[in-house]
C-alpha cells in the first residue's frame, strides 16, 4: 500500500499521518516512530525542494516490514519514489562536521541525519523514477 501525493512541503503532514498509520498496522514499535518521522521529513523536504526544479510532480510513500533471511531481525523499510531529476543522495560526500560552520558548504546534513538514524539506505534509479529506501531494525526498540 502506497500513498501518491504532490511533491511539495505541504504534503509532509499527510505523508507522516499515512506512514504512522501504516507502520502501526504493521506492528512497528511506538519507540521507532519518532525516528521514522524524522527520516521521512528529511526525505520529503529533499524531494519537495529539489526533485522538480522547473515543474510540479508527485512522490509516492510506502513502507513494509521484511526479514532478509530466516532468523534475521525484522526491518522496517520506508520507500520514497519520485519522477523528478535523477539524484542519488547517497553519492554526496559526508559533511565535515568538524569544519568551521562559516566555511562549510550548504547542504548534505539531511542525508547525514538519515544515515545516522537508519541501519541502511539504498538508492536506485528505476526507469524515470528515483527510489530511496531506508531500513530501520525493529528489534532494537522492543
Amino acid at each position: 500500500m502506497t500513498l501518491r501525493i504532490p511533491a511539495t512541503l505541504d504534503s509532509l503532514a499527510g505523508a507522516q499521518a499515512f506512514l504512522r498509520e501504516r507502520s502501526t498496522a504493521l506492528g512497528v514499535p511506538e519507540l521507532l516512530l519518532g525516528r521514522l518521522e524524522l527520516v521521512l521529513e528529511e526525505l520529503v523536504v529533499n524531494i519537495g525542494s529539489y526533485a522538480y526544479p522547473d515543474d510540479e510532480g508527485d512522490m509516492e510513500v510506502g513502507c513494509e516490514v521484511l526479514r532478509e533471511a530466516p532468523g534475521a531481525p525484522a526491518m522496517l523499510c520506508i520507500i520514497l519514489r519520485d519522477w523528478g531529476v535523477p539524484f542519488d543522495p547517497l553519492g554526496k560526500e559526508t559533511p565535515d562536521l568538524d569544519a568551521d560552520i562559516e566555511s562549510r558548504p550548504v547542504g548534505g546534513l539531511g542525508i547525514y541525519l538519515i544515515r545516522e538514524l537508519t541501519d541502511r539506505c539504498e538508492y536506485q534509479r528505476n526507469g524515470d523514477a528515483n527510489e530511496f529506501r531506508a531500513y530501520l531494525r525493529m528489534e532494537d526498540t522492543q
Side-chain angles (χ1 to χ4, degrees):
M1 178 183 294
T2 59
L3 174 69
R4 189 165 176 156
I5 51 180
T8 66
L9 301 181
D10 292 338
S11 296
L12 177 59
Q16 286 176 323
F18 171 79
L19 209 54
R20 178 173 280 274
E21 181 180 319
R22 182 81 180 120
S23 297
T24 300
L26 290 170
V28 173
E30 182 76 22
L31 289 173
L32 195 59
L33 296 180
R35 284 175 43 203
L36 173 67
E37 287 189 358
L38 278 173
V39 170
L40 178 65
E41 181 175 337
E42 290 299 328
L43 292 170
V44 168
V45 166
N46 202 26
I47 292 170
S49 299
Y50 305 112
Y52 302 97
D54 301 322
D55 203 357
E56 296 177 352
D58 290 339
M59 67 179 140
E60 190 175 82
V61 180
C63 67
E64 60 188 5
V65 172
L66 49 93
R67 288 186 191 274
E68 297 181 330
M75 304 285 281
L76 172 66
C77 177
I78 307 166
I79 306 156
L80 267 82
R81 190 174 294 118
D82 69 76
W83 295 265
V85 295
F87 178 66
D88 178 2
L90 300 176
K92 301 227 11 143
E93 288 187 31
T94 301
D96 181 2
L97 300 179
D98 295 326
D100 178 60
I101 195 163
E102 298 295 326
S103 63
R104 284 190 212 165
V106 175
L109 290 176
I111 191 62
Y112 172 79
L113 180 62
I114 291 169
R115 284 181 160 151
E116 290 296 309
L117 292 172
T118 61
D119 292 286
R120 189 176 86 233
C121 298
E122 297 173 351
Y123 167 83
Q124 279 190 307
R125 182 76 181 174
N126 289 327
D128 62 346
N130 294 301
E131 184 175 294
F132 191 90
R133 293 175 176 256
Y135 297 85
L136 294 93
R137 189 178 319 208
M138 291 177 56
E139 276 76 10
D140 289 347
T141 57
Q142 294 177 344

